[in-house]
Amino acid sequence: GRISSGIVSPEIPDKSAKFTYKASQTGNSISLVANMEITRALYYESDYALIKEFFNQIISKESEVFMLKKKAI
């Protein structure tokens, strides 16, 4: 099997925070790249639910488990 190449990118609706996660396989190598970009220094109390959900999505994605299987010879 192969790791399907894909990008997950949750972001805040006003686009002030973005998280990109990409997993890919090339030959016998697996690459995981995670990047978080926050462009605002201050969020208001009214933004709390959005920020909390944004970070919950990041935690969920980074907690995923990769299962590697040895090929049968």
Side-chain angles (χ1 to χ4, degrees):
R2 290 186 51 84
I3 293 175
S4 59
S5 181
I7 297 175
V8 174
S9 185
E11 62 183 40
I12 301 294
D14 70 0
K15 301 193 186 303
S16 64
K18 181 178 178 181
F19 174 74
T20 305
Y21 181 93
K22 182 179 179 184
S24 61
Q25 177 183 357
T26 305
N28 290 331
S29 297
I30 298 171
S31 296
L32 303 173
V33 178
N35 184 45
M36 181 172 39
E37 181 180 331
I38 299 176
T39 59
R40 280 175 52 186
L42 178 65
Y43 286 92
Y44 298 103
E45 185 178 345
S46 59
D47 298 323
Y48 177 76
L50 289 172
I51 297 296
K52 182 178 179 183
E53 180 56 28
F54 174 74
F55 281 101
N56 282 339
Q57 289 179 28
I58 291 170
I59 291 165
S60 174
K61 190 62 187 170
E62 290 187 339
S63 298
E64 288 181 355
V65 176
F66 278 96
M67 269 313 246
L68 302 177
K69 291 171 121 181
K70 191 173 186 177
K71 283 186 176 182
I73 298 176

Short mmCIF file of all heavy atoms in Angstrom, two decimals:
data_model
loop_
_atom_site.label_atom_id
_atom_site.label_comp_id
_atom_site.label_asym_id
_atom_site.label_seq_id
_atom_site.Cartn_x
_atom_site.Cartn_y
_atom_site.Cartn_z
N GLY A 1 0.81 -1.19 0.00
CA GLY A 1 0.00 0.00 0.00
C GLY A 1 0.84 1.24 0.00
O GLY A 1 2.02 1.22 0.30
N ARG A 2 0.22 2.32 -0.34
CA ARG A 2 0.89 3.61 -0.37
C ARG A 2 0.12 4.60 0.48
O ARG A 2 -1.07 4.46 0.68
CB ARG A 2 0.98 4.14 -1.80
CG ARG A 2 1.93 3.35 -2.66
CD ARG A 2 2.13 3.95 -4.04
NE ARG A 2 2.47 5.36 -4.05
CZ ARG A 2 3.70 5.86 -3.90
NH1 ARG A 2 4.71 5.07 -3.67
NH2 ARG A 2 3.92 7.16 -3.98
N ILE A 3 0.81 5.57 0.96
CA ILE A 3 0.18 6.67 1.68
C ILE A 3 -0.37 7.61 0.63
O ILE A 3 0.35 8.05 -0.26
CB ILE A 3 1.19 7.39 2.59
CG1 ILE A 3 1.62 6.45 3.69
CG2 ILE A 3 0.58 8.66 3.15
CD1 ILE A 3 2.71 7.00 4.56
N SER A 4 -1.66 7.90 0.73
CA SER A 4 -2.22 8.81 -0.26
C SER A 4 -1.73 10.22 0.05
O SER A 4 -1.76 10.66 1.18
CB SER A 4 -3.75 8.75 -0.23
OG SER A 4 -4.23 9.08 1.04
N SER A 5 -1.26 10.87 -0.98
CA SER A 5 -0.77 12.24 -0.82
C SER A 5 -1.98 13.14 -0.65
O SER A 5 -2.92 13.06 -1.43
CB SER A 5 0.04 12.64 -2.04
OG SER A 5 0.52 13.94 -1.88
N GLY A 6 -1.96 13.97 0.35
CA GLY A 6 -3.08 14.86 0.55
C GLY A 6 -2.73 15.98 1.49
O GLY A 6 -1.78 15.88 2.24
N ILE A 7 -3.50 17.04 1.42
CA ILE A 7 -3.27 18.20 2.27
C ILE A 7 -4.56 18.47 3.04
O ILE A 7 -5.64 18.48 2.46
CB ILE A 7 -2.88 19.43 1.44
CG1 ILE A 7 -1.56 19.18 0.71
CG2 ILE A 7 -2.79 20.67 2.31
CD1 ILE A 7 -1.15 20.27 -0.23
N VAL A 8 -4.43 18.65 4.34
CA VAL A 8 -5.55 19.05 5.18
C VAL A 8 -5.26 20.47 5.63
O VAL A 8 -4.17 20.77 6.08
CB VAL A 8 -5.67 18.11 6.40
CG1 VAL A 8 -6.74 18.61 7.35
CG2 VAL A 8 -5.98 16.70 5.94
N SER A 9 -6.24 21.33 5.50
CA SER A 9 -5.96 22.73 5.77
C SER A 9 -7.12 23.43 6.48
O SER A 9 -7.85 24.19 5.87
CB SER A 9 -5.65 23.44 4.45
OG SER A 9 -5.28 24.77 4.69
N PRO A 10 -7.30 23.17 7.80
CA PRO A 10 -8.32 23.95 8.51
C PRO A 10 -7.86 25.39 8.66
O PRO A 10 -6.67 25.66 8.77
CB PRO A 10 -8.43 23.27 9.87
CG PRO A 10 -7.19 22.48 10.05
CD PRO A 10 -6.67 22.19 8.67
N GLU A 11 -8.80 26.31 8.61
CA GLU A 11 -8.44 27.71 8.83
C GLU A 11 -9.59 28.44 9.49
O GLU A 11 -10.72 27.99 9.47
CB GLU A 11 -8.03 28.39 7.53
CG GLU A 11 -9.10 28.45 6.46
CD GLU A 11 -8.59 29.07 5.17
OE1 GLU A 11 -7.45 28.82 4.76
OE2 GLU A 11 -9.36 29.83 4.59
N ILE A 12 -9.27 29.58 10.06
CA ILE A 12 -10.26 30.46 10.68
C ILE A 12 -10.98 31.19 9.55
O ILE A 12 -10.35 31.56 8.57
CB ILE A 12 -9.54 31.47 11.62
CG1 ILE A 12 -8.76 30.75 12.72
CG2 ILE A 12 -10.52 32.47 12.21
CD1 ILE A 12 -9.58 29.99 13.71
N PRO A 13 -12.31 31.40 9.66
CA PRO A 13 -13.05 32.03 8.56
C PRO A 13 -12.46 33.36 8.07
O PRO A 13 -12.51 33.65 6.88
CB PRO A 13 -14.45 32.24 9.14
CG PRO A 13 -14.59 31.13 10.12
CD PRO A 13 -13.21 30.96 10.72
N ASP A 14 -11.87 34.17 8.96
CA ASP A 14 -11.30 35.44 8.49
C ASP A 14 -9.89 35.25 7.92
O ASP A 14 -9.20 36.20 7.60
CB ASP A 14 -11.30 36.50 9.59
CG ASP A 14 -10.32 36.22 10.71
OD1 ASP A 14 -9.62 35.19 10.67
OD2 ASP A 14 -10.27 37.03 11.65
N LYS A 15 -9.46 33.98 7.83
CA LYS A 15 -8.16 33.58 7.26
C LYS A 15 -6.96 34.11 8.04
O LYS A 15 -5.86 34.22 7.52
CB LYS A 15 -8.06 33.97 5.79
CG LYS A 15 -9.15 33.34 4.94
CD LYS A 15 -8.86 33.46 3.47
CE LYS A 15 -9.98 32.97 2.61
NZ LYS A 15 -10.43 31.64 2.76
N SER A 16 -7.17 34.42 9.34
CA SER A 16 -6.06 34.91 10.16
C SER A 16 -5.23 33.79 10.76
O SER A 16 -4.16 34.03 11.30
CB SER A 16 -6.59 35.82 11.27
OG SER A 16 -7.41 35.07 12.15
N ALA A 17 -5.73 32.55 10.65
CA ALA A 17 -4.97 31.40 11.15
C ALA A 17 -5.21 30.23 10.19
O ALA A 17 -6.34 29.97 9.79
CB ALA A 17 -5.41 31.03 12.56
N LYS A 18 -4.13 29.55 9.85
CA LYS A 18 -4.21 28.46 8.90
C LYS A 18 -3.25 27.35 9.31
O LYS A 18 -2.14 27.63 9.76
CB LYS A 18 -3.85 28.98 7.50
CG LYS A 18 -3.93 27.94 6.41
CD LYS A 18 -3.59 28.57 5.07
CE LYS A 18 -3.61 27.53 3.97
NZ LYS A 18 -3.26 28.09 2.67
N PHE A 19 -3.68 26.11 9.15
CA PHE A 19 -2.85 24.96 9.45
C PHE A 19 -2.83 24.06 8.22
O PHE A 19 -3.87 23.71 7.68
CB PHE A 19 -3.42 24.18 10.64
CG PHE A 19 -2.71 22.89 10.92
CD1 PHE A 19 -1.46 22.89 11.51
CD2 PHE A 19 -3.28 21.67 10.60
CE1 PHE A 19 -0.79 21.70 11.78
CE2 PHE A 19 -2.63 20.47 10.87
CZ PHE A 19 -1.38 20.50 11.47
N THR A 20 -1.65 23.71 7.77
CA THR A 20 -1.50 22.82 6.62
C THR A 20 -0.73 21.60 7.04
O THR A 20 0.30 21.69 7.71
CB THR A 20 -0.73 23.54 5.48
OG1 THR A 20 -1.39 24.76 5.18
CG2 THR A 20 -0.69 22.70 4.23
N TYR A 21 -1.24 20.43 6.66
CA TYR A 21 -0.62 19.16 7.01
C TYR A 21 -0.60 18.30 5.76
O TYR A 21 -1.63 18.10 5.11
CB TYR A 21 -1.46 18.48 8.09
CG TYR A 21 -0.93 17.16 8.58
CD1 TYR A 21 -0.10 17.10 9.69
CD2 TYR A 21 -1.27 15.97 7.95
CE1 TYR A 21 0.37 15.89 10.16
CE2 TYR A 21 -0.79 14.76 8.41
CZ TYR A 21 0.02 14.72 9.51
OH TYR A 21 0.49 13.52 9.97
N LYS A 22 0.57 17.82 5.40
CA LYS A 22 0.70 17.01 4.19
C LYS A 22 1.49 15.75 4.51
O LYS A 22 2.56 15.80 5.11
CB LYS A 22 1.41 17.80 3.09
CG LYS A 22 1.54 17.02 1.80
CD LYS A 22 2.22 17.83 0.72
CE LYS A 22 2.35 17.00 -0.54
NZ LYS A 22 3.08 17.70 -1.59
N ALA A 23 0.94 14.61 4.08
CA ALA A 23 1.63 13.33 4.22
C ALA A 23 1.83 12.77 2.83
O ALA A 23 0.92 12.79 2.01
CB ALA A 23 0.80 12.37 5.06
N SER A 24 3.03 12.29 2.56
CA SER A 24 3.29 11.70 1.25
C SER A 24 4.36 10.63 1.37
O SER A 24 5.13 10.59 2.32
CB SER A 24 3.71 12.77 0.25
OG SER A 24 4.90 13.40 0.66
N GLN A 25 4.39 9.76 0.38
CA GLN A 25 5.37 8.68 0.34
C GLN A 25 6.09 8.74 -1.00
O GLN A 25 5.48 8.87 -2.04
CB GLN A 25 4.69 7.33 0.49
CG GLN A 25 5.66 6.17 0.38
CD GLN A 25 4.96 4.82 0.47
OE1 GLN A 25 3.77 4.73 0.67
NE2 GLN A 25 5.73 3.76 0.30
N THR A 26 7.41 8.63 -0.93
CA THR A 26 8.24 8.53 -2.11
C THR A 26 9.17 7.35 -1.89
O THR A 26 10.03 7.40 -1.01
CB THR A 26 9.06 9.82 -2.35
OG1 THR A 26 8.17 10.93 -2.41
CG2 THR A 26 9.86 9.72 -3.63
N GLY A 27 8.98 6.29 -2.67
CA GLY A 27 9.80 5.10 -2.46
C GLY A 27 9.59 4.55 -1.07
O GLY A 27 8.48 4.30 -0.65
N ASN A 28 10.70 4.40 -0.33
CA ASN A 28 10.64 3.87 1.03
C ASN A 28 10.59 4.97 2.09
O ASN A 28 10.77 4.69 3.27
CB ASN A 28 11.84 2.96 1.31
CG ASN A 28 11.76 1.67 0.52
OD1 ASN A 28 10.67 1.20 0.22
ND2 ASN A 28 12.90 1.09 0.19
N SER A 29 10.40 6.21 1.68
CA SER A 29 10.38 7.33 2.62
C SER A 29 8.98 7.90 2.78
O SER A 29 8.23 8.01 1.82
CB SER A 29 11.31 8.44 2.13
OG SER A 29 12.63 8.01 2.08
N ILE A 30 8.66 8.25 4.02
CA ILE A 30 7.40 8.91 4.34
C ILE A 30 7.73 10.31 4.81
O ILE A 30 8.59 10.50 5.66
CB ILE A 30 6.63 8.15 5.44
CG1 ILE A 30 6.28 6.75 4.97
CG2 ILE A 30 5.38 8.92 5.85
CD1 ILE A 30 5.71 5.87 6.05
N SER A 31 7.04 11.28 4.26
CA SER A 31 7.25 12.68 4.66
C SER A 31 5.97 13.22 5.28
O SER A 31 4.89 13.04 4.75
CB SER A 31 7.60 13.54 3.45
OG SER A 31 8.82 13.15 2.89
N LEU A 32 6.13 13.89 6.42
CA LEU A 32 5.02 14.58 7.08
C LEU A 32 5.45 16.03 7.25
O LEU A 32 6.50 16.30 7.81
CB LEU A 32 4.74 13.98 8.45
CG LEU A 32 4.42 12.49 8.49
CD1 LEU A 32 4.34 12.01 9.93
CD2 LEU A 32 3.13 12.21 7.76
N VAL A 33 4.64 16.93 6.75
CA VAL A 33 4.96 18.35 6.86
C VAL A 33 3.76 19.05 7.49
O VAL A 33 2.64 18.93 6.99
CB VAL A 33 5.27 18.98 5.48
CG1 VAL A 33 5.55 20.46 5.62
CG2 VAL A 33 6.44 18.27 4.83
N ALA A 34 3.98 19.74 8.59
CA ALA A 34 2.91 20.49 9.26
C ALA A 34 3.36 21.95 9.37
O ALA A 34 4.50 22.23 9.72
CB ALA A 34 2.64 19.92 10.64
N ASN A 35 2.45 22.86 9.05
CA ASN A 35 2.77 24.28 9.11
C ASN A 35 1.56 25.03 9.67
O ASN A 35 0.44 24.82 9.22
CB ASN A 35 3.11 24.79 7.71
CG ASN A 35 3.54 26.23 7.73
OD1 ASN A 35 4.32 26.64 8.57
ND2 ASN A 35 3.03 27.01 6.80
N MET A 36 1.80 25.88 10.66
CA MET A 36 0.74 26.71 11.22
C MET A 36 1.13 28.16 11.01
O MET A 36 2.25 28.55 11.30
CB MET A 36 0.53 26.43 12.71
CG MET A 36 -0.59 27.27 13.28
SD MET A 36 -1.09 26.87 14.98
CE MET A 36 0.43 26.51 15.78
N GLU A 37 0.18 28.94 10.51
CA GLU A 37 0.43 30.36 10.26
C GLU A 37 -0.67 31.17 10.94
O GLU A 37 -1.86 30.94 10.71
CB GLU A 37 0.40 30.61 8.75
CG GLU A 37 0.67 32.04 8.36
CD GLU A 37 0.62 32.21 6.85
OE1 GLU A 37 0.91 31.25 6.11
OE2 GLU A 37 0.27 33.31 6.43
N ILE A 38 -0.27 32.07 11.81
CA ILE A 38 -1.21 32.95 12.50
C ILE A 38 -0.79 34.38 12.20
O ILE A 38 0.34 34.77 12.48
CB ILE A 38 -1.23 32.69 14.02
CG1 ILE A 38 -1.67 31.25 14.28
CG2 ILE A 38 -2.15 33.68 14.73
CD1 ILE A 38 -1.65 30.83 15.73
N THR A 39 -1.69 35.14 11.61
CA THR A 39 -1.33 36.50 11.18
C THR A 39 -1.86 37.60 12.09
O THR A 39 -1.53 38.76 11.89
CB THR A 39 -1.84 36.75 9.74
OG1 THR A 39 -3.26 36.59 9.72
CG2 THR A 39 -1.18 35.81 8.76
N ARG A 40 -2.67 37.24 13.07
CA ARG A 40 -3.16 38.23 14.04
C ARG A 40 -2.50 38.01 15.38
O ARG A 40 -2.28 36.87 15.80
CB ARG A 40 -4.67 38.08 14.24
CG ARG A 40 -5.49 38.73 13.17
CD ARG A 40 -6.98 38.49 13.30
NE ARG A 40 -7.55 38.81 14.61
CZ ARG A 40 -8.80 38.56 14.94
NH1 ARG A 40 -9.63 38.00 14.07
NH2 ARG A 40 -9.25 38.86 16.12
N ALA A 41 -2.19 39.07 16.08
CA ALA A 41 -1.58 38.95 17.40
C ALA A 41 -2.63 38.93 18.51
O ALA A 41 -2.35 38.49 19.62
CB ALA A 41 -0.63 40.12 17.64
N LEU A 42 -3.85 39.35 18.20
CA LEU A 42 -4.88 39.48 19.23
C LEU A 42 -6.20 38.90 18.73
O LEU A 42 -6.64 39.21 17.61
CB LEU A 42 -5.08 40.96 19.58
CG LEU A 42 -6.15 41.30 20.60
CD1 LEU A 42 -5.79 40.74 21.97
CD2 LEU A 42 -6.31 42.81 20.69
N TYR A 43 -6.79 38.04 19.53
CA TYR A 43 -8.13 37.52 19.25
C TYR A 43 -9.03 37.91 20.41
O TYR A 43 -8.62 37.90 21.56
CB TYR A 43 -8.12 36.00 19.09
CG TYR A 43 -7.52 35.56 17.78
CD1 TYR A 43 -6.16 35.27 17.68
CD2 TYR A 43 -8.30 35.46 16.64
CE1 TYR A 43 -5.60 34.88 16.47
CE2 TYR A 43 -7.74 35.07 15.43
CZ TYR A 43 -6.41 34.78 15.35
OH TYR A 43 -5.86 34.41 14.16
N TYR A 44 -10.27 38.23 20.11
CA TYR A 44 -11.21 38.66 21.14
C TYR A 44 -11.97 37.47 21.72
O TYR A 44 -11.98 36.38 21.15
CB TYR A 44 -12.19 39.68 20.54
CG TYR A 44 -11.48 40.92 20.06
CD1 TYR A 44 -11.25 41.13 18.70
CD2 TYR A 44 -11.00 41.86 20.97
CE1 TYR A 44 -10.57 42.25 18.26
CE2 TYR A 44 -10.32 42.99 20.54
CZ TYR A 44 -10.10 43.17 19.19
OH TYR A 44 -9.43 44.27 18.76
N GLU A 45 -12.59 37.69 22.85
CA GLU A 45 -13.36 36.64 23.52
C GLU A 45 -14.40 36.03 22.58
O GLU A 45 -14.64 34.83 22.60
CB GLU A 45 -14.04 37.22 24.76
CG GLU A 45 -14.75 36.21 25.59
CD GLU A 45 -15.37 36.81 26.85
OE1 GLU A 45 -15.03 37.93 27.22
OE2 GLU A 45 -16.21 36.11 27.45
N SER A 46 -14.97 36.85 21.72
CA SER A 46 -15.99 36.36 20.78
C SER A 46 -15.40 35.38 19.76
O SER A 46 -16.13 34.63 19.13
CB SER A 46 -16.65 37.53 20.05
OG SER A 46 -15.68 38.29 19.35
N ASP A 47 -14.08 35.37 19.60
CA ASP A 47 -13.40 34.46 18.66
C ASP A 47 -13.02 33.14 19.32
O ASP A 47 -12.52 32.24 18.64
CB ASP A 47 -12.11 35.11 18.12
CG ASP A 47 -12.36 36.37 17.33
OD1 ASP A 47 -13.37 36.41 16.60
OD2 ASP A 47 -11.54 37.30 17.43
N TYR A 48 -13.24 33.01 20.63
CA TYR A 48 -12.73 31.85 21.36
C TYR A 48 -13.19 30.52 20.78
O TYR A 48 -12.41 29.60 20.60
CB TYR A 48 -13.12 31.94 22.84
CG TYR A 48 -12.68 30.73 23.63
CD1 TYR A 48 -11.34 30.57 23.99
CD2 TYR A 48 -13.58 29.73 23.98
CE1 TYR A 48 -10.92 29.45 24.69
CE2 TYR A 48 -13.15 28.61 24.67
CZ TYR A 48 -11.83 28.47 25.03
OH TYR A 48 -11.42 27.36 25.70
N ALA A 49 -14.48 30.40 20.46
CA ALA A 49 -15.01 29.12 19.95
C ALA A 49 -14.32 28.75 18.63
O ALA A 49 -13.99 27.57 18.42
CB ALA A 49 -16.51 29.20 19.77
N LEU A 50 -14.08 29.72 17.76
CA LEU A 50 -13.41 29.44 16.49
C LEU A 50 -11.96 29.01 16.71
O LEU A 50 -11.49 28.06 16.08
CB LEU A 50 -13.41 30.69 15.60
CG LEU A 50 -14.75 31.10 15.00
CD1 LEU A 50 -14.63 32.44 14.30
CD2 LEU A 50 -15.23 30.04 14.03
N ILE A 51 -11.27 29.70 17.60
CA ILE A 51 -9.86 29.38 17.88
C ILE A 51 -9.77 27.99 18.52
O ILE A 51 -8.91 27.18 18.16
CB ILE A 51 -9.22 30.44 18.80
CG1 ILE A 51 -9.19 31.80 18.11
CG2 ILE A 51 -7.84 30.02 19.25
CD1 ILE A 51 -8.34 31.86 16.88
N LYS A 52 -10.68 27.70 19.45
CA LYS A 52 -10.68 26.40 20.11
C LYS A 52 -10.89 25.28 19.09
O LYS A 52 -10.18 24.27 19.10
CB LYS A 52 -11.76 26.36 21.19
CG LYS A 52 -11.79 25.05 21.94
CD LYS A 52 -12.84 25.06 23.04
CE LYS A 52 -12.84 23.71 23.74
NZ LYS A 52 -13.87 23.62 24.75
N GLU A 53 -11.86 25.44 18.19
CA GLU A 53 -12.12 24.43 17.17
C GLU A 53 -10.93 24.28 16.22
O GLU A 53 -10.57 23.17 15.82
CB GLU A 53 -13.39 24.76 16.39
CG GLU A 53 -13.72 23.75 15.30
CD GLU A 53 -13.84 22.31 15.79
OE1 GLU A 53 -14.20 22.08 16.95
OE2 GLU A 53 -13.57 21.40 14.98
N PHE A 54 -10.30 25.38 15.87
CA PHE A 54 -9.11 25.37 15.01
C PHE A 54 -8.02 24.51 15.64
O PHE A 54 -7.47 23.60 15.01
CB PHE A 54 -8.63 26.80 14.80
CG PHE A 54 -7.33 26.93 14.05
CD1 PHE A 54 -7.27 26.71 12.69
CD2 PHE A 54 -6.18 27.29 14.71
CE1 PHE A 54 -6.08 26.84 11.99
CE2 PHE A 54 -4.98 27.43 14.03
CZ PHE A 54 -4.93 27.21 12.66
N PHE A 55 -7.72 24.75 16.91
CA PHE A 55 -6.68 23.97 17.59
C PHE A 55 -7.10 22.52 17.82
O PHE A 55 -6.27 21.62 17.76
CB PHE A 55 -6.23 24.65 18.88
CG PHE A 55 -5.28 25.78 18.63
CD1 PHE A 55 -5.71 27.09 18.66
CD2 PHE A 55 -3.95 25.53 18.34
CE1 PHE A 55 -4.82 28.13 18.39
CE2 PHE A 55 -3.06 26.56 18.07
CZ PHE A 55 -3.50 27.86 18.10
N ASN A 56 -8.39 22.27 18.05
CA ASN A 56 -8.87 20.89 18.18
C ASN A 56 -8.65 20.11 16.88
O ASN A 56 -8.29 18.94 16.91
CB ASN A 56 -10.34 20.85 18.59
CG ASN A 56 -10.55 21.14 20.06
OD1 ASN A 56 -9.63 21.00 20.87
ND2 ASN A 56 -11.75 21.55 20.41
N GLN A 57 -8.87 20.77 15.74
CA GLN A 57 -8.63 20.12 14.45
C GLN A 57 -7.15 19.79 14.27
O GLN A 57 -6.80 18.73 13.75
CB GLN A 57 -9.12 21.00 13.31
CG GLN A 57 -10.62 21.09 13.22
CD GLN A 57 -11.08 22.00 12.10
OE1 GLN A 57 -10.40 22.16 11.09
NE2 GLN A 57 -12.25 22.60 12.26
N ILE A 58 -6.28 20.70 14.71
CA ILE A 58 -4.84 20.47 14.61
C ILE A 58 -4.45 19.28 15.49
O ILE A 58 -3.74 18.37 15.05
CB ILE A 58 -4.04 21.73 15.01
CG1 ILE A 58 -4.24 22.82 13.97
CG2 ILE A 58 -2.55 21.41 15.18
CD1 ILE A 58 -3.69 24.17 14.37
N ILE A 59 -4.92 19.28 16.73
CA ILE A 59 -4.61 18.19 17.66
C ILE A 59 -5.10 16.86 17.10
O ILE A 59 -4.38 15.86 17.14
CB ILE A 59 -5.20 18.47 19.05
CG1 ILE A 59 -4.46 19.64 19.70
CG2 ILE A 59 -5.16 17.23 19.94
CD1 ILE A 59 -5.17 20.24 20.90
N SER A 60 -6.30 16.85 16.56
CA SER A 60 -6.86 15.63 15.99
C SER A 60 -6.00 15.12 14.83
O SER A 60 -5.69 13.93 14.75
CB SER A 60 -8.29 15.90 15.52
OG SER A 60 -8.80 14.77 14.85
N LYS A 61 -5.61 16.01 13.95
CA LYS A 61 -4.81 15.61 12.79
C LYS A 61 -3.44 15.09 13.22
O LYS A 61 -2.96 14.09 12.70
CB LYS A 61 -4.66 16.78 11.81
CG LYS A 61 -4.06 16.40 10.50
CD LYS A 61 -4.96 15.40 9.81
CE LYS A 61 -4.33 14.84 8.57
NZ LYS A 61 -5.08 13.72 8.03
N GLU A 62 -2.80 15.78 14.15
CA GLU A 62 -1.46 15.39 14.58
C GLU A 62 -1.48 14.15 15.49
O GLU A 62 -0.43 13.59 15.76
CB GLU A 62 -0.75 16.56 15.25
CG GLU A 62 -0.39 17.63 14.24
CD GLU A 62 0.47 18.74 14.82
OE1 GLU A 62 0.48 18.93 16.05
OE2 GLU A 62 1.12 19.43 14.02
N SER A 63 -2.66 13.73 15.93
CA SER A 63 -2.77 12.54 16.77
C SER A 63 -3.06 11.27 15.98
O SER A 63 -3.13 10.19 16.54
CB SER A 63 -3.89 12.74 17.81
OG SER A 63 -3.58 13.82 18.64
N GLU A 64 -3.24 11.41 14.68
CA GLU A 64 -3.52 10.24 13.85
C GLU A 64 -2.35 9.29 13.87
O GLU A 64 -1.20 9.69 14.00
CB GLU A 64 -3.81 10.67 12.41
CG GLU A 64 -5.15 11.35 12.24
CD GLU A 64 -5.43 11.73 10.80
OE1 GLU A 64 -4.56 11.56 9.92
OE2 GLU A 64 -6.55 12.19 10.56
N VAL A 65 -2.66 8.02 13.74
CA VAL A 65 -1.65 6.97 13.79
C VAL A 65 -1.41 6.42 12.38
O VAL A 65 -2.34 6.20 11.62
CB VAL A 65 -2.12 5.81 14.71
CG1 VAL A 65 -1.14 4.67 14.69
CG2 VAL A 65 -2.35 6.33 16.12
N PHE A 66 -0.13 6.24 12.04
CA PHE A 66 0.23 5.59 10.79
C PHE A 66 0.49 4.13 11.10
O PHE A 66 1.26 3.81 12.01
CB PHE A 66 1.52 6.19 10.19
CG PHE A 66 1.29 7.44 9.42
CD1 PHE A 66 1.46 8.69 10.00
CD2 PHE A 66 0.90 7.39 8.10
CE1 PHE A 66 1.26 9.85 9.30
CE2 PHE A 66 0.68 8.54 7.37
CZ PHE A 66 0.87 9.77 7.98
N MET A 67 -0.14 3.23 10.35
CA MET A 67 0.12 1.80 10.48
C MET A 67 1.01 1.40 9.33
O MET A 67 0.66 1.58 8.18
CB MET A 67 -1.17 1.02 10.32
CG MET A 67 -2.01 0.69 11.50
SD MET A 67 -1.30 0.03 12.91
CE MET A 67 -2.05 -1.55 12.87
N LEU A 68 2.16 0.86 9.64
CA LEU A 68 3.07 0.37 8.62
C LEU A 68 3.07 -1.15 8.65
O LEU A 68 3.17 -1.75 9.71
CB LEU A 68 4.49 0.90 8.87
CG LEU A 68 4.62 2.42 8.92
CD1 LEU A 68 6.06 2.80 9.26
CD2 LEU A 68 4.19 3.05 7.62
N LYS A 69 2.91 -1.76 7.49
CA LYS A 69 2.91 -3.21 7.39
C LYS A 69 4.11 -3.67 6.59
O LYS A 69 4.46 -3.07 5.58
CB LYS A 69 1.64 -3.69 6.68
CG LYS A 69 0.36 -3.49 7.46
CD LYS A 69 -0.81 -3.80 6.57
CE LYS A 69 -1.64 -4.91 7.14
NZ LYS A 69 -2.77 -5.25 6.29
N LYS A 70 4.69 -4.73 7.05
CA LYS A 70 5.81 -5.33 6.35
C LYS A 70 5.26 -6.15 5.19
O LYS A 70 4.29 -6.89 5.35
CB LYS A 70 6.62 -6.22 7.29
CG LYS A 70 7.92 -6.66 6.76
CD LYS A 70 8.70 -7.38 7.84
CE LYS A 70 10.09 -7.72 7.36
NZ LYS A 70 10.87 -8.36 8.40
N LYS A 71 5.86 -5.99 4.01
CA LYS A 71 5.41 -6.74 2.85
C LYS A 71 5.72 -8.22 3.02
O LYS A 71 6.77 -8.59 3.53
CB LYS A 71 6.14 -6.26 1.58
CG LYS A 71 5.62 -4.99 1.03
CD LYS A 71 6.32 -4.69 -0.28
CE LYS A 71 5.77 -3.48 -0.94
NZ LYS A 71 6.42 -3.22 -2.23
N ALA A 72 4.80 -9.06 2.58
CA ALA A 72 5.02 -10.49 2.58
C ALA A 72 5.97 -10.84 1.44
O ALA A 72 5.85 -10.31 0.35
CB ALA A 72 3.71 -11.24 2.42
N ILE A 73 6.90 -11.71 1.71
CA ILE A 73 7.90 -12.05 0.67
C ILE A 73 7.47 -13.32 -0.03
O ILE A 73 6.96 -14.23 0.44
CB ILE A 73 9.30 -12.21 1.28
CG1 ILE A 73 9.69 -10.89 1.88
CG2 ILE A 73 10.28 -12.67 0.23
CD1 ILE A 73 11.02 -10.92 2.61
#
